[in-house]
Amino acid sequence: MNRIELLANSNDDTVRLDVFISRKNQDLTRSYIKKLIEDGMVKVDGQIPKPSLKLKPGQIVEIQVPDIKPIETAAQDIPIDIIYEDNDIIVVNKPKGMVVHPACGNSTGTLVNAILHKCNSLSGINGVLRPGIVHRIDKDTTGILVVAKNDNAHISLSEQLKEHTMKRNYIALVYGVLKSQKGTIDAPIGRHKTDRKRFAVVPGKGKRAVTHYEVIELFGGYTLIRASLETGRTHQIRVHMSHIGHPLVGDELYGPRKPKIKAEGQMLHAETLGFIHPTTGSYIEFESPLPEDFKKLLSKLKKL
């Protein structure tokens, strides 16, 4: 357990507690600070406060930061496509059918298990089941993902996600013909009110979610689009496209019950990922070509 003590001065008058801590210690993200406060690991003048507490000069903030637990997830010799690797990050091309990290009932065969076989040092901020994982893509979504090797890299990448400065473009095949060549879907997403496995557009209750899209090509009654994420909610593209009446082909959760064409999982591919490198400060960008099953389906549609 690491103990940090901070003193509020005149410049900190009426500053929120979580903002104050993040300014004084940039190694801690706002979300992690909030969790520490909620877990009773932060005290102000000996008292457990709320994250929204506004400080007064002279108050003492004491923070107990738990030691990072050793990674317990098992390493497995599973082939993975590593696009790029250095001392801070690993950029991989995730195949269809692979879960990103272990969870209850699914402790092996994940991307994390595979990466641990290649690299035994990953960031520990997300705990023992999700080491290095900054962002996720669904099991049946293919494409680019960046993994952090250390906590400094993790914090930097997480902040870029939070500030919406990370470039994330996806290719998707959807049902129907979109009315316009370009568009933006700005609709809040939250849990579905009756099905806990699903998410939905929930006006007034969900978290803000913004997806930009543009048409790439038409295939009869189907459209190939490029979608750009401004936010990163769970199932965001799948939920948003279904919400406007154009669900993804192959999407069993949000698509039609009796699809006209068969596909193994939703036709969604993380094509482009761009971000500021945590150490060099330079912008880097990676691209991933469409997987074979996606290309075969497009070829089939062209012949119809």
Side-chain angles (χ1 to χ4, degrees):
M1 187 75 69
N2 298 314
R3 181 178 179 276
I4 301 172
E5 187 173 291
L6 304 171
L7 176 65
N9 56 41
S10 58
N11 294 327
D12 304 313
D13 190 21
T14 71
V15 173
R16 279 174 54 113
L17 175 62
D18 52 354
V19 175
F20 168 78
I21 296 174
S22 66
R23 287 178 180 176
K24 298 292 184 180
N25 192 316
Q26 297 184 359
D27 288 339
L28 303 176
T29 63
R30 286 277 293 278
S31 58
Y32 186 56
I33 292 167
K34 183 178 179 181
K35 185 177 186 302
L36 288 176
I37 297 172
E38 291 173 346
D39 291 345
M41 306 303 287
V42 177
K43 293 183 179 180
V44 177
D45 291 341
Q47 301 296 317
I48 296 176
K50 294 182 178 180
S52 59
L53 172 72
K54 293 184 178 180
L55 293 171
K56 298 178 181 179
Q59 288 188 303
I60 298 175
V61 178
E62 181 183 341
I63 311 164
Q64 298 289 341
V65 182
D67 294 327
I68 296 172
K69 296 179 180 179
I71 295 171
E72 299 174 2
T73 304
Q76 291 181 282
D77 188 3
I78 304 171
I80 52 172
D81 181 11
I82 297 177
I83 299 174
Y84 174 83
E85 180 178 4
D86 61 25
N87 292 330
D88 298 297
I89 60 173
I90 301 176
V91 179
V92 299
N93 190 17
K94 190 189 83 66
K96 178 166 289 191
M98 177 178 274
V99 176
V100 170
H101 62 77
C104 294
N106 187 35
S107 61
T108 60
T110 72
L111 180 66
V112 165
N113 295 115
I115 290 177
L116 284 173
H117 182 75
K118 305 289 183 182
C119 169
N120 59 9
S121 176
L122 296 174
S123 71
I125 289 176
N126 268 345
V128 297
L129 293 180
R130 294 184 290 167
I133 300 304
V134 179
H135 65 124
R136 295 173 290 175
I137 53 179
D138 299 331
K139 177 182 177 181
D140 288 329
T141 299
T142 56
I144 295 181
L145 196 76
V146 61
V147 178
K149 281 189 171 184
N150 54 65
D151 289 353
N152 287 334
H154 196 125
I155 290 168
S156 173
L157 294 169
S158 294
E159 288 298 326
Q160 291 180 60
L161 278 170
K162 180 182 175 182
E163 298 298 326
H164 313 311
T165 57
M166 186 177 285
K167 181 179 180 180
R168 289 174 293 164
N169 289 345
Y170 290 73
I171 300 295
L173 182 67
V174 303
Y175 285 94
V177 178
L178 278 73
K179 294 180 180 179
S180 57
Q181 286 292 111
K182 293 183 178 181
T184 295
I185 307 168
D186 187 344
I189 291 176
R191 287 281 183 185
H192 193 280
K193 62 181 180 180
T194 58
D195 187 348
R196 300 301 294 174
K197 292 183 179 180
R198 299 176 64 188
F199 289 81
V201 169
V202 188
K205 295 183 179 180
K207 294 182 179 180
R208 185 168 187 251
V210 181
T211 303
H212 307 284
Y213 67 85
E214 61 178 348
V215 172
I216 299 174
E217 189 174 354
L218 297 177
F219 295 86
Y222 305 90
T223 305
L224 188 68
I225 66 168
R226 176 172 288 107
S228 173
L229 292 180
E230 185 172 319
T231 56
R233 307 305 175 198
T234 302
H235 298 176
Q236 179 171 315
I237 295 173
R238 299 166 64 187
V239 172
H240 271 172
M241 296 311 298
S242 178
H243 176 67
I244 65 171
H246 297 281
L248 273 62
V249 171
D251 194 336
E252 296 182 356
L253 201 56
Y254 301 103
R257 293 183 178 180
K258 295 181 179 181
K260 295 180 181 179
I261 56 175
K262 292 184 178 181
E264 295 183 5
Q266 65 273 0
M267 290 292 100
L268 183 62
H269 176 69
E271 175 197 39
T272 307
L273 182 66
F275 52 87
I276 301 297
H277 190 279
T279 299
T280 67
S282 299
Y283 177 79
I284 52 177
E285 186 173 299
F286 303 92
E287 289 192 0
S288 169
L290 285 176
E292 287 302 315
D293 68 319
F294 206 136
K295 291 191 288 187
K296 286 180 181 179
L297 181 55
L298 294 180
S299 296
K300 181 179 178 179
L301 292 177
K302 284 183 178 180
K303 296 176 183 178
L304 294 180

